[in-house]
């Protein structure tokens, strides 16, 4: 009987409070006044003594803790007001509020802590941390935040703020870690589902000069339309995922148009599926240089669209590291977008893992993108690698280990007014292509230095393919196996290309099905041989026909001496056609060059201050 009277009295007070608040046009400010107790007990509240209603401002502070186990509502619910306030949301709870604030300095600060083990929470804004410590721990249940910015989930503004999710569902439209001068603002996910409500966005490091704005995913699943890592000028933010699933429509790291640092760290068994990923923001930067970091040591990343690196950007440093796991993209394009592309440095390092694309890797694409691509292990598997896609590109690709398995390798793929400068250094590993062309698109300097490893060009290796190309292949170690070795251009329309093939010493092994030096009217074609003290050199083995034209140059490594009667075979072939137009003897060498039916040899080798060049054809 008494309990019934109490419930009726509480309901009457609630209705009266609503009427009074509506008449005054303002919300009641109510304080929870017991050390620990239930929300739905009127005597646990003061100012006035009543259960909060939808128009009330409710505060929990003084190191007190409220438990919500049934229906509860408020216009504004604050945990922490000068002193700490705590909340416990359990099974059966249904909390609705316009705003929920943990540690609000506008109300004198104070730490705020909430633990949810069940029930449902619905709010326009869940705001955490403003000058104090705030922590929301979701162990189960549902949190529904349907509002867009400036509402949604806002973590950090001048205090230590953390949202920790173990299980349950977080449904949101907008989430940001603001941070400001906070020592930490982060979202930590161990399990559960973070799902979008319509077109959702996650922005990490919204404010300037932030330092520790993090999204740490150790499990569960996160779904987002737009993920932006490094939202404002001077901000620093990171998305760290070691397990679980991240599905994003688009990833920006950092945000377009601002000087910020954005970092993706991927490891363990994490799975990421993204439509398009932008590493390095685009646009006319404000706030100084920007930095983008991609560090993947494990997991699986699938870009259903393109991965765009340094897209139309300026003043960017992009550090990309793949040490494990699998990374797939439809295409990988670096330095695309001519409107603002300038001053970009790309450090692209692969120590392990698998890098795959459905179409091609165009790196560097932009005219002012300085690229250092270092491959120490792992695998690259793609259709085409266009190393130096646009005129004016500069870059170096160092291959010391791993396997590159591609269809076509182009150094310099577009003709333009600016000169390319591109180099590949092969010291280990395996490079496999159907077709490799140095100077594919035109003018520039193109070089491959092979010190070790194996280069297999199944169809053709073309040196100086197009007009204005200056291409050189130096080989001092390792193995080169090609279908056709074309030194100089074989295109009828080309008249000014330069191609050089340079064999250094006896260590390298060169095998070709056919060998072609271009005719002088196509440009300059040079076969250069540098003899060493270990028997001169290992001969180039041509299993088919050698077509001879252009220049033969023969020189010596330092301090080489030959015994009397030494004969060095420099090339063998099944058949030959043509003849060298000239022979140059370098480094004080004097010898006789013998172009025979099945081979080219050098004899009568000796140093001489008055060399006499003799070419004999038998």
């Amino acid at each position: 009987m008494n309990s019934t009277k109490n419930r009726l009295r509480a309901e009457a007070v609630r209705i009266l409070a609503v009427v009074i608040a509506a008449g005054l046009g303002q919300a009641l400010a109510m304080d929870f006044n017991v050390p620990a107790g239930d929300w739905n007990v009127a005597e646990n509240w003061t100012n006035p003594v009543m259960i909060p209603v939808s128009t009330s401002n409710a505060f929990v502070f003084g190191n007190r803790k409220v438990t919500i186990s049934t229906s509860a509502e408020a216009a504004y619910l604050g945990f922490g007001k000068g002193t700490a306030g705590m909340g416990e949301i359990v099974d059966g709870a249904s909390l609705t509020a316009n705003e929920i604030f943990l540690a609000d300095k506008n109300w004198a600060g104070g730490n705020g802590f909430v633990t949810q083990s069940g029930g449902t929470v619905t709010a326009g804004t869940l705001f955490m941390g403003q000058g104090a410590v705030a922590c929301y721990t979701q162990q189960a249940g549902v949190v529904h935040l349907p509002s867009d910015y400036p509402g949604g989930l806002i973590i950090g503004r001048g205090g230590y703020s953390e949202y920790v999710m173990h299980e349950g569902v977080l449904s949101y439209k907008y989430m940001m870690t603001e941070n400001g001068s906070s020592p930490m603002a982060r979202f930590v996910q161990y399990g559960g589902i973070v799902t979008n409500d319509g077109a959702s966005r996650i922005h990490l490091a919204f404010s300037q000069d932030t330092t520790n704005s993090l999204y740490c995913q150790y499990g569960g699943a996160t779904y987002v339309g737009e993920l932006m890592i490094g939202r404002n000028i001077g901000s620093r933010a990171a998305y760290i995922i070691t397990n679980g699933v991240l599905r994003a429509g688009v990833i920006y790291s950092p945000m377009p148009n601002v000087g910020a640092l954005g970092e993706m760290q991927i490891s363990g068994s994490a799975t990421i599926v993204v439509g398009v990923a932008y590493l390095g923001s685009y646009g006319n930067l404000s706030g100084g240089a920007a930095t983008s970091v991609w560090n993947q040591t494990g997991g699986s990343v699938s870009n259903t669209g393109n991965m765009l690196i340094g897209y139309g950007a300026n003043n960017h440093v992009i550090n990309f590291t793949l040490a494990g796991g699998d990374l797939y993209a439809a295409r990988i394009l670096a330095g695309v977008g001519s409107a603002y592309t300038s001053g970009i440095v790309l450090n692209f390092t692969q120590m392990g893992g698998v890098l795959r694309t459905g179409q091609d890797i165009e790196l560097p694409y932009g005219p002012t993108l300085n690229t250092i691509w270092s491959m120490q292990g792992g695998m690259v598997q793609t259709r085409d690698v266009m190393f130096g896609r646009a005129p004016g590109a500069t870059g170096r690709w160092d291959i010391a280990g791993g396997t590159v398995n591609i269809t076509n390798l182009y150094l310099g793929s577009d003709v333009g007014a600016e000169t390319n400068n591109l180099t590949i250094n092969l010291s280990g590993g395996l490079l496999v292509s159907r077709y490799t062309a140095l100077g594919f698109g035109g003018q520039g300097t193109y070089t491959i230095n092979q010190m070790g490893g194996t280069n297999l060009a199944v169809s053709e290796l073309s040196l100086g393919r197009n007009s204005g190309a200056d291409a050189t292949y130096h080989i001092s170690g390792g193995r080169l196996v090609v279908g056709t070795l074309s030194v100089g251009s074989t295109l009828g329309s080309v008249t000014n290309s330069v191609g050089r093939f340079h064999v250094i010493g006896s260590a390298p092994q060169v095998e070709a099905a056919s060998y072609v030096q271009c005719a002088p009217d196509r440009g300059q074609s040079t076969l250069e041989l540098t003899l060493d003290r270990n028997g001169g050199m290992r001969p180039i083995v041509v299993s088919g026909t050698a077509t001879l034209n252009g220049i033969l140059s023969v020189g010596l490594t330092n301090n080489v001496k030959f015994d009397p009667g030494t004969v060095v075979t420099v090339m063998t072939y099944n058949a030959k056609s043509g003849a060298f137009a000239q022979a140059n003897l370098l480094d004080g060498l004097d010898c006789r060059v013998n172009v025979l039916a099945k081979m080219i040899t050098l004899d009568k080798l000796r140093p001489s201050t008055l060399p006499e060049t003799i070419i004999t054809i038998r």
Side-chain angles (χ1 to χ4, degrees):
M1 186 68 163
N2 288 335
S3 62
T4 301
K5 289 182 179 180
N6 289 338
R7 282 197 302 272
L8 292 173
R9 182 171 58 188
E11 179 63 16
V13 172
R14 187 189 70 80
I15 294 172
L16 178 62
V18 173
V19 172
I20 292 173
L24 295 176
Q26 61 185 10
L28 296 172
M30 308 173 61
D31 298 333
F32 192 73
N33 70 342
V34 295
D38 193 83
W39 176 284
N40 279 308
V41 176
E43 288 74 13
N44 291 344
W45 297 91
T46 59
N47 300 323
V49 178
M50 59 170 282
I51 299 169
V53 294
S54 62
T55 56
S56 303
N57 289 341
F59 296 91
V60 182
F61 59 98
N63 295 311
R64 302 182 181 104
K65 182 173 78 170
V66 63
T67 298
I68 301 174
S69 57
T70 57
S71 177
E73 57 185 353
Y76 175 99
L77 171 58
F79 293 91
K81 182 180 177 183
T83 54
M86 293 158 281
E88 182 181 33
I89 303 168
V90 300
D91 283 338
S94 177
L95 171 62
T96 303
N98 295 335
E99 293 182 281
I100 301 175
F101 217 128
L102 281 64
D104 185 354
K105 73 177 182 181
N106 294 321
W107 295 95
N111 300 335
F113 306 95
V114 173
T115 300
Q116 181 179 355
S117 59
T120 300
V121 175
T122 302
T125 302
L126 174 54
F127 206 146
M128 301 173 53
Q130 198 173 35
V133 178
C135 183
Y136 193 107
T137 302
Q138 184 178 357
Q139 298 172 341
V142 176
V143 176
H144 183 47
L145 307 171
S147 297
D148 204 347
Y149 180 80
L153 176 57
I154 313 297
I155 304 173
R157 183 178 285 177
Y160 183 105
S161 306
E162 186 175 57
Y163 191 112
V164 181
M165 184 176 188
H166 294 275
E167 291 294 342
V169 176
L170 169 60
S171 174
Y172 73 102
K173 192 164 190 176
Y174 185 79
M175 180 194 308
M176 80 175 178
T177 56
E178 189 159 354
N179 203 221
S181 58
S182 302
M184 180 70 73
R186 67 178 182 177
F187 185 96
V188 182
Q189 182 180 10
Y190 294 100
I193 298 174
V194 178
T195 186
N196 54 51
D197 185 353
S200 63
R201 297 178 293 161
I202 296 176
H203 290 174
L204 305 182
F206 186 91
S207 297
Q208 296 185 20
D209 304 320
T210 59
T211 55
N212 291 297
S213 190
L214 307 173
Y215 194 114
C216 304
Q217 186 177 355
Y218 306 122
T222 293
Y223 300 88
V224 58
E226 175 185 275
L227 172 60
M228 195 171 287
I229 307 169
R231 171 64 174 77
N232 218 326
I233 299 171
S235 63
R236 299 168 59 90
Y239 195 108
I240 302 167
I241 178 170
T242 64
N243 200 356
V245 176
L246 167 64
R247 297 186 68 95
V250 60
I251 295 176
Y252 296 100
S253 177
M255 176 191 175
N257 303 311
V258 299
L261 185 150
E263 182 172 355
M264 282 290 301
Q265 297 184 19
I266 307 154
S267 62
S269 57
T271 299
I272 298 177
V273 179
V274 57
V276 180
Y278 294 87
L279 306 186
S281 60
Y282 59 82
N284 194 9
L285 274 181
S286 59
T291 301
S292 179
V293 177
W294 181 284
N295 188 359
Q296 183 177 352
T297 60
S300 172
V301 178
S302 177
N303 290 264
T304 57
N306 298 331
M307 175 173 276
L308 302 173
I309 302 173
Y311 181 82
N314 59 21
N315 299 322
H316 271 69
V317 176
I318 301 159
N319 297 317
F320 185 105
T321 302
L322 177 62
D326 183 88
L327 172 61
Y328 172 84
R331 303 170 75 193
I332 296 178
L333 309 176
V336 181
S338 59
Y340 300 108
T341 302
S342 64
I344 305 174
V345 176
L346 170 59
N347 300 307
F348 193 101
T349 302
Q350 184 173 2
M351 298 176 287
V354 178
L355 176 62
R356 298 180 297 117
T357 69
Q359 296 183 48
D360 48 36
I361 298 174
E362 301 183 16
L363 179 132
Y365 189 107
T368 55
L369 177 64
N370 185 15
T371 299
I372 300 175
W373 184 357
S374 175
M375 185 170 180
Q376 303 163 26
M379 174 179 284
V380 174
Q381 189 169 0
T382 183
R383 188 185 68 183
D384 298 335
V385 170
M386 297 183 181
F387 194 60
R389 174 67 171 81
T394 61
R396 190 182 80 231
W397 186 6
D398 299 330
I399 305 174
T403 299
V404 179
N405 189 354
I406 59 181
T407 303
N408 300 306
L409 172 59
Y410 303 115
L411 271 69
S413 63
D414 273 358
V415 177
E418 299 176 80
T419 300
N420 297 318
N421 190 345
L422 302 162
T423 301
I424 295 178
N425 296 315
L426 176 62
S427 60
L430 173 63
L431 172 59
V432 180
S433 66
R434 183 190 64 84
Y435 175 72
T436 295
L438 281 66
F440 180 81
Q443 66 184 32
T445 302
Y446 309 96
T447 306
I448 294 182
N449 299 308
Q450 184 175 356
M451 296 80 71
T454 298
N455 184 1
L456 174 60
V458 176
S459 177
E460 183 181 3
L461 170 61
S462 176
L463 308 179
R465 181 181 183 274
N466 223 320
S467 297
D470 188 337
T472 303
Y473 196 113
H474 300 282
I475 179 167
S476 59
R479 185 184 182 197
L480 172 64
V481 181
V482 300
T484 298
L485 176 54
S486 299
V487 183
S489 180
T490 57
L491 300 178
S493 59
V494 174
T495 60
N496 62 340
S497 75
V498 176
R500 302 181 192 88
F501 186 71
H502 183 197
V503 182
I504 305 169
S506 57
Q509 181 177 349
V510 180
E511 304 167 40
S514 62
Y515 175 84
V516 177
Q517 279 186 249
C518 75
D521 60 355
R522 307 282 173 80
Q524 183 177 313
S525 172
T526 302
L527 173 62
E528 184 174 349
L529 312 172
T530 300
L531 311 182
D532 68 12
R533 68 182 65 191
N534 298 317
M537 64 169 285
R538 180 181 294 181
I540 301 169
V541 178
V542 180
S543 60
T545 300
T547 302
L548 307 179
N549 276 301
I551 301 168
L552 171 66
S553 292
V554 185
L556 303 171
T557 57
N558 294 333
N559 302 317
V560 173
K561 295 182 180 179
F562 294 97
D563 295 330
T566 298
V567 177
V568 178
T569 301
V570 296
M571 181 184 290
T572 64
Y573 38 74
N574 187 52
K576 70 172 179 66
S577 65
F580 294 114
Q582 79 182 73
N584 299 328
L585 301 183
L586 312 173
D587 308 315
L589 172 68
D590 185 22
C591 69
R592 182 169 62 180
V593 180
N594 304 298
V595 181
L596 308 176
K598 297 291 185 181
M599 68 185 70
I600 301 172
T601 64
L602 309 176
D603 64 6
K604 297 188 177 183
L605 296 145
R606 64 182 185 278
S608 173
T609 57
L610 297 172
E612 179 182 359
T613 302
I614 304 172
I615 301 179
T616 61
I617 302 176
R618 302 176 184 174

